[in-house]
Amino acid sequence: MGETPVTEKTRQSEGTVHIGSLVLESGKILRDVSLRYERAGDPLLPVILICHALTGTHQSYGTEEDPGWWRGFISEGGSVDLTKFQVITFNVIGGCSGSTGPASLNPDKELYRSDFPFVSIKDMVNAQHKALNELGIGHLHGVIGGSLGGMQVLEWSVSYPDFMDKIVLLAATPSLSDYGIAFNRIGIHAIENDPGWNGGNYDQASEVKGFEVARMVGLVTYRSPALFTGRFKREEKPSEEEQPYYQVESYLRYQGEKITKRFDPNSYLTLLYAMNHHDIGRGRGGIEQAAARIKGEFLGVGFKGDLLYPPQDIRQFAALVEGGSYHEVDTHFGHDGFLVEFDKWGPLVKHHFESKE
């Protein structure tokens, strides 16, 4: 286990924790597993675990030079207050930001690539549980995450109900809907049928054009029609082609190309398959029985216009949890609401984590 030191200036560090072999939900054994993590705040304070979304990383807080993806939400005096809590974020297994995944070496010292085994959300959480124990952390004050991160939050709360006091679920449902699976299938199909993917043995991610298509499809589902209309306003861009070319098309192409520069297509597929499999009621007698296992103080937050994780489904699940509460955020950002507009819902999370009740 290696860790860079925490500095007084930033109180932020990154490290890698080795957890040995992990028995997966499928029964297969993943050997020599390691998880990359970030730790921010005073290491003597209570711990809040942050779970990242599909293309997120362990760098939720980051540094002044390279801010993390939730930097505006985590700060001294912020919604997750670093004067009261420390935060830990792991890169999930199957990811590509330092944890064991398709881009890692297998026991034969070759890249796993598409031979990386199927991992479930439960596998991700079990790996994090082992990693926390390796770090000497036997209890969490709270756990929070959105989208794929919210799936992990649900699995944490059901698999290890005594491990945390507070739970915040953002933009995720107890199982992924058929509508969500359908959109994921478009992305999976685009990647797996791209000749450049070559069965997972591609030369460069940028050559897998289907990966760009998959990202474009995802982005369209993450935000609302009103936001797209308000932002782009049918603005045309100069083009050498005869056909008209619009700003929204340019945006999607840019984002599609951008993802290939920072993410591994095989990891993207691995995580999409894990999301499709997500159902906390599986093997537990159904979702209602799974909800009955939850002991931590539960807060569910839905975002208006979220196509993938409808707010009403989150509200209904919160009602199944004893003492559970729910809040709906009025936003044009749809599913991506959990990444922005912290002023609308951050105070609610802050109160939930800091409440003594």
Side-chain angles (χ1 to χ4, degrees), residues 290-301:
R293 297 187 180 201
I294 298 175
K295 296 181 180 180
E297 293 180 37
F298 183 91
L299 169 64
V301 181

Side-chain angles (χ1 to χ4, degrees), residues 6-8 10-12 39-47 76 81-87:
V6 176
T7 67
E8 288 301 318
T10 63
R11 291 188 176 275
Q12 184 268 0
R39 195 168 186 171
D42 186 335
L44 298 178
L45 291 173
V47 180
E76 294 188 2
D81 190 346
L82 291 181
T83 69
K84 298 179 179 179
F85 308 107
Q86 60 167 307
V87 299

Side-chain angles (χ1 to χ4, degrees), residues 5 25 95 97 111 132 168 177 180 194 271 284:
E25 196 174 359
S97 296
L111 295 178
L132 287 173
V168 179
S177 68
D194 186 327
L271 301 186
R284 294 167 172 146

Side-chain angles (χ1 to χ4, degrees), residues 92-93 98 116 119 146-147 162 189-190 199-200 235-236 264 271 297 330:
V92 296
I93 56 168
F116 191 75
V119 294
S147 194
D162 295 310
H189 191 81
E235 177 185 347
E236 289 194 48
D264 175 48
L271 301 186
E297 293 180 37
D330 188 4

Side-chain angles (χ1 to χ4, degrees), residues 4 12-15 36-40 50-53 55-63 65-72 74 87-92 96-99 262 339:
T4 55
Q12 184 268 0
S13 65
E14 288 190 38
R36 189 70 178 168
Y37 69 94
E38 178 193 63
R39 195 168 186 171
I50 293 174
C51 301
H52 71 73
T55 60
T57 72
H58 58 287
Q59 295 166 320
S60 61
Y61 181 69
T63 64
E65 298 76 20
D66 187 19
W69 54 268
W70 235 0
R71 183 65 173 241
I74 309 163
V87 299
I88 292 180
T89 308
F90 292 103
N91 180 224
V92 296
C96 57
S97 296
S99 293
R262 72 174 186 87
L339 295 171

Side-chain angles (χ1 to χ4, degrees), residues 301-314:
V301 181
F303 295 84
K304 184 177 179 180
D306 188 341
L307 300 175
L308 299 174
Y309 305 93
Q312 63 268 24
D313 291 355
I314 302 173

Side-chain angles (χ1 to χ4, degrees), residues 53-298:
L54 175 59
T55 60
T57 72
H58 58 287
Q59 295 166 320
S60 61
Y61 181 69
T63 64
E64 293 291 340
E65 298 76 20
D66 187 19
W69 54 268
W70 235 0
R71 183 65 173 241
F73 188 68
I74 309 163
S75 64
E76 294 188 2
S79 300
V80 176
D81 190 346
L82 291 181
T83 69
K84 298 179 179 179
F85 308 107
Q86 60 167 307
V87 299
I88 292 180
T89 308
F90 292 103
N91 180 224
V92 296
I93 56 168
C96 57
S97 296
S99 293
T100 299
S104 302
L105 295 177
N106 63 24
D108 295 325
K109 306 304 179 183
E110 297 179 352
L111 295 178
Y112 276 106
R113 294 186 176 267
S114 58
D115 288 334
F116 191 75
F118 170 77
V119 294
S120 66
I121 305 298
K122 187 174 184 179
D123 294 329
M124 297 175 189
V125 168
N126 286 341
Q128 292 170 24
H129 183 256
K130 290 187 71 172
L132 287 173
N133 286 331
E134 287 290 330
L135 292 172
I137 297 170
H139 190 78
L140 298 171
H141 177 76
V143 57
I144 181 173
S147 194
L148 171 64
M151 294 177 177
Q152 295 168 64
V153 166
L154 284 166
E155 193 60 54
W156 260 109
S157 66
V158 175
S159 289
Y160 301 99
D162 295 310
F163 204 81
M164 76 291 295
D165 300 322
K166 311 270 188 171
I167 301 158
V168 179
L169 170 69
L170 305 169
T173 47
S175 63
L176 184 62
S177 68
D178 291 281
Y179 190 71
I181 294 171
F183 275 109
N184 281 352
R185 168 43 58 182
I186 296 172
I188 291 168
H189 191 81
I191 294 172
E192 292 185 340
N193 287 276
D194 186 327
W197 183 63
N198 191 28
N201 297 308
Y202 53 86
D203 292 326
Q204 296 181 20
S206 60
E207 296 176 359
V208 187
K209 295 301 180 183
F211 189 18
E212 297 179 20
V213 175
R215 184 60 170 168
M216 291 183 200
V217 170
L219 285 171
V220 171
T221 68
Y222 297 158
R223 298 189 171 184
S224 71
L227 189 74
F228 271 84
T229 300
R231 176 173 179 178
F232 299 109
K233 298 179 171 52
R234 289 186 54 82
E235 177 185 347
E236 289 194 48
K237 285 183 68 69
S239 173
E240 297 179 359
E241 303 297 327
E242 180 180 352
Q243 299 87 350
Y245 185 59
Y246 293 91
Q247 178 67 32
V248 65
E249 296 177 277
S250 176
Y251 168 77
L252 288 177
R253 287 186 63 177
Y254 167 75
Q255 292 295 337
E257 293 168 359
K258 182 179 177 181
I259 194 67
T260 67
K261 294 177 173 63
R262 72 174 186 87
F263 214 82
D264 175 48
N266 284 326
S267 276
Y268 198 80
L269 288 172
T270 296
L271 301 186
L272 287 185
Y273 278 121
M275 294 175 77
N276 285 353
H277 183 260
H278 167 65
D279 180 354
I280 63 167
R282 182 187 297 104
R284 294 167 172 146
I287 289 172
E288 188 169 347
Q289 291 298 314
R293 297 187 180 201
I294 298 175
K295 296 181 180 180
E297 293 180 37
F298 183 91

